[in-house]
Amino acid sequence: MVLIKGNTVHSEIENLWQTSSGPDYYTLSWVVRNTSSISMFRIYHQGVLHYTTLLTSHTVASLLPCSKYLARVEALCGDSVVMSSKTVLARTGPRGVSELRYRPEDSTALWIGGTRQGVAFQYQLSYDNGSTIQQGRLMEPLLPLLGLIEGARYALDVWEECDGEWSADPALVCFDGVNVSVNSLVLQVASTLRPNEDQVLAFIVPWLMVLDPKTEPWAELKRIYEKLLEELLKEYPVKTRVELVAFKELEGKSKTKITFQGFDASITDVDLPLPPGEQLDHIQSLQPPNITVKDGIIYWDDPDECATPDLNRCDANSLCVNTLNSYTCVCQHGFYDVGPAFVPPPTPASHPVCYEKGMFTQCLTRSMAGGIAKAFLIGYFGGDVTVVLNEGRCTMEESKTLYHFHVLRKPSQCGTIRLVNRTHIEFRNTLTVTLSRERTITRRDLKVIWKCIYPRNYVRNNQINVDLEWITSHSVVEYNSSHQLGLAMTMYSDNSFSYGYRDSIALHLSDVLFFEVALLTNNTFASEVLLEVISCWATESPDPQDETKGFFLLDGCPVDSTFHWLSVNGVSQRSRFSIHMFTMPKELPIYMHCLARICSHDEDCTTNCTTKRLSKRSTARWDPYINVAVVVSAGPLMVTPEAAPGTKLSNWDEALTMIYVVGGTMGVLMLTMLGHIKATLDLIEGSITVCTTKKTFDPYAVVRARDLIKLLARSVPFEQAVRILEDDMACDIIKIGTLVRTRERFVKRRQRLIGPKGSTLKALELLTNCYVMVQGNTVSALGPFNGLKEVRKVVLDTMKNIHPIYNIKTLMIKRELSKDPELRLQSWERFLPNFRHKNLTKRKEPKKKTTKKEYTPFPPQQPESQIDKELATGEFFLRESVKKRKKMEEIKVKQAEVLSKRQEERNRAFIPPKEKPVMKKTNKAPSEAKINIEAIKAKVRKAKTKKLGAPSVNPVPQTKPAHDKKKKNKG
């Protein structure tokens, strides 16, 4: 069957509930949004398919009254695709009360319960006009009606009740009241009638006791209080036996009234009641602490130890019951005390260890224990049962309340079944339960299976004996007609060949295994024969002829690179060699087999392997039985994977805790350190679940428990992970495995986050006050909320190729700025560095930018056909001859255009190019410039004077221009 989750919301069963019930049926109804997508509905009753329907309601009939049943409805698409599933706990009601009558002789109402013994009855007494006089709850089908008005008309309604459900229609009786005086009542010896109010004692306790009378806690509570009252009346002149009559809740008060009656214990033939007044006087004369007698009622003033979990040590599966100056624990309905069968017994022994149905499993170091409640089996079968453990190979111990066993895990002793897979070793014990009395037809045979599952990686680390049967075959060879020789193979732990394996052992792939195949001559002509080992191989079963074989020695030559001879093969009566451990395809326990033969002293038993050496271990099918050679075997060996570098090997206490959690179908480990949080670990499913219990005082503790498990699963040390339980702590698991595509780039950036010798990570921890651990593809952070935000930003930026040193510098600046009180309310943007990306080329924009057309749900407009175009131009209505003539004219026009263009192209070659205009040359001389002779002379004179270095003799005075004189006069 295939379960489709989240396929569609329209086929999901939104709600499933019980609409009605009766003494032998219940009706279910459910709601589905769209039934058209559902092919059928399957209704399961107690896990068994009951009916298939297309309707959204169904009735399950032919049931027992006052019972609970588990119902499930599945919505199917097709034949086997489950679209949705819902489960509900359904109940059947009581049958009701019959033969209700009033007996006027002693003013008593009697009736017969329709369901079974142990149910409760609700009653209501009223006048004929409807006004209520009295109402209450009884456990017996008998109600004394005292103090009635003579001749008045009364009406009495009685319902049957079970599990809070009342019968649909009450039984009604109307009668005329009879006033019966107490003095006229005659005590009937050995009567089963309920005593009246003057024959019983009552005491009131300051707490409520709401229990179902048909359950085991009710019987235990009754026994405790009867024993307590007998202790109070221990010094009474007459030996007293106490029987509790009823419990009654006082309306409007958190109190319970308990009525009881004392009988003379010295008389065993009949029940002789003792006078209540004398018993009250005796109790009052004792003046016991916390007990007072007032108005004929005993008041119990003891504090309620069961009010809060801090005052008692009862577990979640037990019920706290107050006793005088103390308390006791009683297992809840359906749970049984298995403490007496525990190994070792629990402490303190006064508190019960309650398990549902009494089923428990203990997976110990060398043994396993388990048990089941006798009352559960008797109730399940409806009579005495016979129990057989492991097909009678082991005896089931029987106590007052339990069937239990305590056996070793060796299959040879008690028939324990052992199953081994790649990761775990499972030990299983089966209990077969049948009815003791013989019946022709039986349908309720029961098998109970106890399992202990051990992880294989704990086997070697903790030296756990896996109890696999060690196989060592000794083969006998008839060498000649008068002598027989034996062969045996032994495996050793080292090359000293001093310690041989005699029991199953777990090895690592790095271990070396040492073999010795020896000839057992039994002191007969020892020097005349030799031994040669021909082939050796490994299988995953004790059968040497298993389909899959791993050869490491074939035809006298090694075929594995780790095979080494430690002695010369074929020259003595023993051969020694070694090989590194290996694994097989199924990863099951490995068995070793060797084929050997005996040679005479004049025969060459050595093998030359230079010409035939194989490169790898062979796994082909091969028949080892050749000539007169013999196969010897030993095993099994288990191979456990190597631990990763830096992994701490766990101790036995941790392994035992894990094994105890898996023991049985599902084990439970209480994490009291998390505020009474219940954790359930299932190694088979590979999941762990945490939930609150009745003693959980902080609901948020379950979230912190989940975070603690997440941190421990990512190798965060326990000393750091347990800080998550503090109020101001939080955690963040940052997944970085998918942020970078290339593996090499991911490793480089992750190492950049850690830094050389973890310096970057340490700086980040100091600046954020968080614990940070990089493990695989995740980064685990633990600390305050503000620090976790900074850690996440740094980690994500680092994986985006932003070096963490930039963020660390920013955090250092912020840390210094936070110390200044004046800057706390100001913006720090002007102080923080603004790092820019360098050496980043801009992405080239494409030359052609394609713009997406706007989406429209309408299709594009249909192009016009040729006929539409002709209709638009009117050409459609022309005759064919006119159309042809018009078409020919258009063709001629086009031909003329093409012809003219072609003629222009041809004439273009004959058009001469434009020439440049010719420039005429002229012989005109350039105009003579006027030469300043005086200036030339002055220049020559000045040059001569500068060359000779003598002053001028007659300096010629320079005459200033007239406009300079005018400027001077103005100044």
Side-chain angles (χ1 to χ4, degrees), residues 523-541:
N523 298 324
T524 58
F525 60 94
S527 60
E528 296 184 5
V529 295
L530 302 174
L531 176 69
E532 179 191 9
V533 179
I534 301 175
S535 299
C536 291
W537 66 95
T539 63
E540 293 182 290
S541 68

Side-chain angles (χ1 to χ4, degrees), residues 594-858:
C594 282
L595 176 69
R597 70 185 183 95
I598 299 174
C599 308
S600 61
H601 66 282
D602 56 352
E603 184 181 355
D604 185 11
C605 290
T606 59
T607 303
N608 186 8
C609 299
T610 57
T611 59
K612 50 177 182 179
R613 178 175 294 275
L614 302 179
S615 60
K616 60 181 179 179
R617 185 179 293 117
S618 173
T619 57
R621 298 188 179 183
W622 177 74
D623 186 7
Y625 297 101
I626 57 175
N627 299 331
V628 292
V630 178
V631 175
V632 289
S633 304
L637 298 174
M638 292 193 303
V639 183
T640 57
E642 290 284 354
T647 303
K648 179 182 177 182
L649 296 179
S650 60
N651 53 28
W652 168 244
D653 294 334
E654 294 173 352
L656 185 60
T657 300
M658 182 175 294
I659 294 166
Y660 175 73
V661 168
V662 185
T665 305
M666 188 72 69
V668 175
L669 174 65
M670 294 302 298
L671 304 178
T672 55
M673 62 185 336
L674 300 178
H676 301 287
I677 294 296
K678 179 180 177 182
T680 305
L681 176 64
D682 188 356
L683 287 181
I684 301 300
E685 297 293 337
S687 63
I688 184 169
T689 306
V690 291
C691 59
T692 58
T693 63
K694 293 182 179 180
K695 296 185 179 181
T696 303
F697 53 86
D698 182 11
Y700 194 71
V702 69
V703 180
R704 297 192 178 277
R706 179 205 62 187
D707 294 341
L708 176 61
I709 293 171
K710 291 167 64 176
L711 292 173
L712 293 175
R714 285 162 176 82
S715 303
V716 177
F718 177 78
E719 295 78 7
Q720 295 290 342
V722 78
R723 292 171 55 201
I724 194 63
L725 305 180
E726 301 175 7
D727 291 337
D728 56 344
M729 284 292 165
C731 69
D732 190 8
I733 308 298
I734 308 170
K735 297 181 180 180
I736 60 175
T738 58
L739 299 179
V740 182
R741 294 182 180 179
T742 310
R743 182 66 183 175
E744 294 78 8
R745 191 175 297 174
F746 168 75
V747 173
K748 186 181 296 183
R749 294 181 185 178
R750 184 180 61 182
Q751 185 61 34
R752 187 183 300 164
L753 178 63
I754 299 172
K757 296 182 180 180
S759 58
T760 305
L761 211 60
K762 188 63 178 178
L764 187 61
E765 290 179 350
L766 293 175
L767 291 172
T768 58
N769 296 326
C770 295
Y771 175 80
V772 185
M773 182 175 185
V774 181
Q775 178 75 14
N777 294 333
T778 59
V779 177
S780 304
L782 174 68
F785 292 98
N786 294 334
L788 293 178
K789 290 171 60 179
E790 298 294 341
V791 171
R792 174 172 279 274
K793 182 179 181 301
V794 174
V795 171
L796 296 180
D797 286 350
T798 303
M799 302 312 292
K800 293 177 182 177
N801 203 22
I802 300 175
H803 202 282
I805 192 63
Y806 299 129
N807 288 304
I808 289 177
K809 286 182 179 181
T810 303
L811 291 175
M812 293 174 65
I813 295 173
K814 288 182 179 180
R815 187 175 183 179
E816 295 298 326
L817 292 174
S818 63
K819 297 179 182 179
D820 191 351
E822 296 181 358
L823 297 175
R824 287 184 179 180
L825 301 178
Q826 299 181 15
S827 176
W828 293 349
E829 292 295 333
R830 64 183 187 274
F831 301 107
L832 299 179
N834 186 14
F835 301 107
R836 296 181 179 179
H837 297 284
K838 296 181 179 180
N839 300 329
L840 295 179
T841 58
K842 292 185 178 180
R843 181 176 175 271
K844 294 182 179 179
E845 295 182 358
K847 294 182 179 179
K848 295 182 179 179
K849 292 184 178 180
T850 58
T851 57
K852 269 192 174 183
K853 296 181 180 180
E854 185 179 355
Y855 172 77
T856 174
F858 304 104

